[in-house]
């Protein structure tokens, strides 16, 4: 029985449909969401352009845009703008919506403006440093997304990166304060699911960003200013990867929020299980951070036992992903059957594949499943050696952050934008086609990247064509894979332009008299009352997470510091 029928049978009334837009209920909060989305999509456009140029350059299809030396500037810009700026601003935007909408509690106007301004200034500083590399001047930051020593950037890059992260911390404080005000009025209620997911994500974020904060503020920024003569590359690399893998879940947990709370509604049904959703986010809080050493399997100076601990914890992280696959697919099937779907697989045809918000999220989830399988290769100590530093690795994270997160963010924008602008979606046909275009482009590019990685083609280089090296013979050949990467990257950029066209047309369009929004989310089939209250006590899970971090990172970091804080064998302070 559909939720609408159940509600009518129990109450004798039709389901209440909230046609009032978020922007009308919470004008300031909608303004903050729009600001974050504007910066996110601007970064997405520039970073996406850099990505297409990279795909054409390194494959040798067209090298007229930049020189091979400037390729690394674009590579840095592509990684930072997409993996840090686009994701962080979109996340702060959708999290602000989620907290305000689920708690019916406004954010602090002064605090929300403060954290947005802090993040925005940091983005400008880091962006100026990166683009400065194209001018040949003293200000540059050709340090790639993984900005650890021995490569050095201009101080304003590190200052900008620090401000971006500090701004996100302040945003978390804003959301926690809103929750505290809500809790004072609802002392016995369970935390609404959307807010619970936001609080859990930010708890993980606070724990995991300690590493990069120490790396930047204690080592890289003073080093770039000349205040200390040297830094220990292994130590700064370890501090970066302490943050560098949990940031993947900072990207993915907002996508999970969308899949758990909005995708069931878009499917025409209800979330299968609220308790399972809470368990998944608790597991992410506990397990996300003590896994970073699996990025350092080939690094000397780290005992193999701690690498093994990281591998084990990484494999445990498959559990929340598998639970999500079950719960989300069950929710989609429930929705499809409410729409008349029948049969073991025939229900798939009843889903709203012409709705871009639904199709984009569903295709993103499908891509994430593929990314999970390739991620298992990265996590294994022995088989990781086969693909380490090859094109396999960017092939993997283009499935995760590049599709599971990015395509979900773009897709749900088609639903969210009318809520925060009060304007109906424009260019609906373009929006309907866009997720499929992105899916095709990413299928081509990521497939070729994975195959090229198995053939030994390196990553992070503008010149992968080594005259004295023969790559392993593979089906289709190296030339075919290069062409496939170039075609896939170009299709992705076309899909990006389609998305931006819809956003711009909607953003600057006229507000119609009849707004097509429905902000009500139906309750889960199994609600929070069916789960233990301890799941909502984030203090317990934070303590467990910190203990696991100390076990995984304490002894290795202590040995690195004891060997010299700024360089191996050096005194503990500059002399």
């Amino acid at each position: 029985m559909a939720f609408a029928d159940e509600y009518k049978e129990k109450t004798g009334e039709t389901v209440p449909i909230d046609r009032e837009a978020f922007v009308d209920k919470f004008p300031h909060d909608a303004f903050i969401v729009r600001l974050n989305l504007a910066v996110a999509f601007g970064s997405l456009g520039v970073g996406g352009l850099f990505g297409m140029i990279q795909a054409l350059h390194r494959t040798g299809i067209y090298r007229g845009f930049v020189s091979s030396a400037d390729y690394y500037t674009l590579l840095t810009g592509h990684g930072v703008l997409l993996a840090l700026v686009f994701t962080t601003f979109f996340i702060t935007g959708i999290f602000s919506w989620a907290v305000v909408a689920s708690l019916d509690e406004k954010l602090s106007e002064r605090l929300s403006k403060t954290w947005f301004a802090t993040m925005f200034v940091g983005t400008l500083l880091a962006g100026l440093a990166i683009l400065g590399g194209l001018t040949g001047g003293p200000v540059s930051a050709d340090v790639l997304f993984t900005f650890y020593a021995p490569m050095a950037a201009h101080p304003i890059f590190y200052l900008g990166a620090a401000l971006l992260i500090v701004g996100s911390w302040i945003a978390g404080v804003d959301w926690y304060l809103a929750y505290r005000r809500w809790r004072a009025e609802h002392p016995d209620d369970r935390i609404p699911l959307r807010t619970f997911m936001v609080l859990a994500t930010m708890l993980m974020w606070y724990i995991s960003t300690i590493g990069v904060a120490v790396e930047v503020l204690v080592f890289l920024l003073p080093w770039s200013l000349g205040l200390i003569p040297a830094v220990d590359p292994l130590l700064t690399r370890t501090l970066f990867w302490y943050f560098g893998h949990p940031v993947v879940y900072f990207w993915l947990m907002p996508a999970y929020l969308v899949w758990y709370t909005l995708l069931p509604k878009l499917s025409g049904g209800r979330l299968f299980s609220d308790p399972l959703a809470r368990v998944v986010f608790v597991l992410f809080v506990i397990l996300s951070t003590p896994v970073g050493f699996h990025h350092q399997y080939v690094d000397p100076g780290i005992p193999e036992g701690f690498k093994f601990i990281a591998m084990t914890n990484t494999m445990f992280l498959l559990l929340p992903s598998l639970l999500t696959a079950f719960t989300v697919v069950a929710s989609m099937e429930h929705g499809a059957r409410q729409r008349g779907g029948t049969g073991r697989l025939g229900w798939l045809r009843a889903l709203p594949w012409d709705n871009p918000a639904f199709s984009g999220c569903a295709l993103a989830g499908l891509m994430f499943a593929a990314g999970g399988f390739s991620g298992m290769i990265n996590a294994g100590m022995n088989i990781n050696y086969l693909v380490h530093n090859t094109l396999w690795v960017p092939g993997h994270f283009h499935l995760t952050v590049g599709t599971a997160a990015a395509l979900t963010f773009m897709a749900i924008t088609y639903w969210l934008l009318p809520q925060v602008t009060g304007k109906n979606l424009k260019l609906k046909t373009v929006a309907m086609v866009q997720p499929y275009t992105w899916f095709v482009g990413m299928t081509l590019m990521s497939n070729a990247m994975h195959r090229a990685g198995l053939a030994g083609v390196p990553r992070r280089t503008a010149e992968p064509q080594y005259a004295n090296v023969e790559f392993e013979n593979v089906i289709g050949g190296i030339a075919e894979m290069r062409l496939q990467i170039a075609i896939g990257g170009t299709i992705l950029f076309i899909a990006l332009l389609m998305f931006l066209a819809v956003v711009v047309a909607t953003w600057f369009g006229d507000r119609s008299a009849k707004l097509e929004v429905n902000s009500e989310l139906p309750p889960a089939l199994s609600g929070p009352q069916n789960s233990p209250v301890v799941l909502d006590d984030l203090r317990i899970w934070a303590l467990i997470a910190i203990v696991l971090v100390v076990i995984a990172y304490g002894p290795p970091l202590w040995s690195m510091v004891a060997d010299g804080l700024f360089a191996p064998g050096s005194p503990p302070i500059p002399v």
Side-chain angles (χ1 to χ4, degrees):
M1 180 182 292
F3 167 63
D5 297 331
E6 291 180 25
Y7 186 90
K8 188 171 183 178
E9 182 178 294
K10 292 178 180 179
T11 66
E13 302 173 356
T14 56
V15 178
I17 297 178
D18 188 354
R19 296 294 185 186
E20 187 179 6
F22 182 82
V23 65
D24 296 322
K25 292 182 181 179
F26 309 101
H28 170 76
D29 303 290
F31 172 68
I32 292 296
V33 174
R34 291 197 303 274
L35 286 179
N36 281 274
L37 295 184
V39 178
F41 298 149
S43 303
L44 179 63
V46 177
L49 174 63
F50 289 174
M52 185 192 69
I53 294 173
Q54 289 172 238
L56 296 175
H57 186 96
R58 68 164 284 129
T59 56
I61 302 299
Y62 182 72
R63 296 193 160 202
F65 290 111
V66 292
S67 66
S68 288
D70 288 336
Y71 173 91
Y72 299 98
T73 299
L74 297 191
L75 181 57
T76 303
H78 177 69
V80 171
L81 288 175
L82 295 189
L84 285 180
V85 179
F86 161 62
T87 54
T88 302
F89 274 94
F90 186 89
I91 290 166
T92 50
I94 197 170
F95 275 8
S96 295
W97 163 81
V99 169
V100 172
S102 61
L103 297 181
D104 197 22
E105 188 75 45
K106 297 178 181 179
L107 300 179
S108 163
E109 291 195 16
R110 179 178 296 179
L111 199 57
S112 58
K113 291 177 181 177
T114 299
W115 58 255
F116 173 79
T118 303
M119 291 169 54
F120 185 68
V121 171
T123 297
L124 288 180
L125 292 176
L128 288 173
I130 293 170
L131 295 178
L134 297 175
T135 66
V139 179
S140 65
D142 301 334
V143 290
L144 312 185
F145 161 67
T146 52
F147 48 88
Y148 41 69
M151 293 189 293
H154 191 275
I156 69 169
F157 173 80
Y158 297 124
L159 179 60
L163 288 175
L164 178 63
I165 292 173
V166 169
S168 71
W169 290 349
I170 302 173
V173 171
D174 200 6
W175 303 325
Y176 271 96
L177 290 176
Y179 163 69
R180 190 173 70 173
R181 293 192 296 272
W182 174 88
R183 175 56 76 194
E185 299 177 1
H186 304 82
D188 300 321
D189 291 356
R190 297 297 296 270
I191 306 175
L193 183 59
R194 280 176 285 176
T195 296
F196 175 82
M197 291 175 166
V198 171
L199 300 182
T201 302
M202 290 309 298
L203 179 58
M204 183 277 297
W205 184 240
Y206 284 130
I207 295 171
S208 65
T209 49
I210 293 172
V212 73
V214 171
E215 181 204 13
V216 170
L217 297 176
V218 177
F219 297 101
L220 298 184
L221 185 57
W223 177 47
S224 65
L225 290 170
L227 301 178
I228 56 176
V231 295
D232 181 354
L234 180 61
L235 177 58
T236 58
R237 180 177 168 88
T238 300
L239 290 172
F240 179 88
W241 285 121
Y242 172 92
F243 148 87
H245 197 82
V247 72
V248 173
Y249 301 105
F250 183 62
W251 305 327
L252 289 173
M253 289 164 79
Y256 277 38
L257 181 150
V258 171
W259 297 348
Y260 277 114
T261 63
L262 291 173
L263 187 56
K265 170 191 174 72
L266 295 171
S267 303
R270 301 158 63 184
L271 174 63
F272 180 76
S273 174
D274 178 293
L276 275 179
R278 293 175 193 261
V279 168
V280 164
F281 273 72
V282 166
L283 289 173
F284 277 131
V285 170
I286 294 173
L287 298 172
S288 292
T289 303
V291 300
F293 281 133
H294 80 238
H295 288 268
Q296 298 178 262
Y297 284 151
V298 300
D299 285 13
I302 300 171
E304 293 296 310
F306 290 98
K307 295 176 183 178
F308 183 82
I309 291 174
M311 180 185 71
T312 304
N313 288 337
T314 306
M315 294 302 180
F316 278 134
L317 274 167
L318 289 172
L319 178 58
S321 297
L322 293 173
L323 287 174
T324 297
F326 168 78
T327 308
V328 172
V329 172
S331 304
M332 290 169 58
E333 181 180 356
H334 173 263
R337 295 193 184 279
Q338 309 315 302
R339 298 167 60 91
T342 58
R344 292 186 178 179
L345 295 176
W347 57 269
L348 289 167
R349 294 193 296 270
L351 291 169
W353 295 104
D354 58 342
N355 181 344
F358 169 82
S359 63
C361 291
L363 293 174
L366 184 61
M367 276 288 192
F368 182 59
F373 288 120
S374 65
M376 293 171 64
I377 305 299
N378 301 339
M381 286 184 68
N382 50 350
I383 49 181
N384 176 278
Y385 297 145
L386 298 174
V387 297
H388 181 76
N389 261 346
T390 71
L391 211 53
W392 171 286
V393 179
H396 161 71
F397 61 67
H398 276 87
L399 290 180
T400 52
V401 62
T403 303
L407 184 54
T408 297
F409 294 171
M410 288 186 282
I412 209 58
T413 298
Y414 296 133
W415 183 88
L416 183 63
L417 202 57
Q419 300 277 352
V420 298
T421 62
K423 300 174 182 179
N424 289 325
L425 196 69
K426 304 297 192 297
L427 303 180
K428 292 184 178 179
T429 302
V430 177
M432 184 176 66
V433 175
Q434 187 268 337
Y436 297 97
T437 307
W438 186 277
F439 185 82
V440 170
M442 189 60 76
T443 298
L444 291 172
M445 189 178 78
S446 182
N447 169 269
M449 282 182 166
H450 279 91
R451 291 165 51 219
L454 292 175
V457 177
R459 61 182 293 207
R460 290 173 170 156
T461 176
E463 303 289 344
Q465 301 84 10
Y466 299 126
N468 297 323
V469 175
E470 289 188 9
F471 296 117
E472 294 291 334
N473 190 26
V474 291
I475 297 175
I478 297 296
E480 174 269 326
M481 289 187 292
R482 289 177 185 159
L483 180 62
Q484 189 173 323
I485 290 172
I487 293 173
T490 303
I491 294 174
L492 284 170
F493 186 64
I494 292 171
L496 174 56
L497 293 178
M498 295 168 67
F499 168 72
L500 293 176
V502 175
V503 170
V504 171
T506 303
W507 203 297
F508 295 101
D510 296 329
R511 180 162 184 173
S512 60
K514 185 177 181 181
L515 187 61
E516 301 170 2
V517 298
N518 177 4
S519 59
E520 288 295 327
L521 297 185
L525 291 169
S526 175
Q529 69 277 4
N530 297 320
S531 65
V533 178
V534 71
L535 285 176
D536 287 8
D537 192 346
L538 294 174
R539 295 169 298 181
I540 295 176
W541 311 120
L543 179 61
I544 295 173
I546 292 170
V547 169
L548 290 177
V549 166
V550 170
I551 293 172
Y553 273 96
L557 284 175
W558 175 256
S559 65
M560 294 177 200
V561 171
D563 189 38
L565 189 59
F566 298 99
S570 69
I573 59 173
V575 294

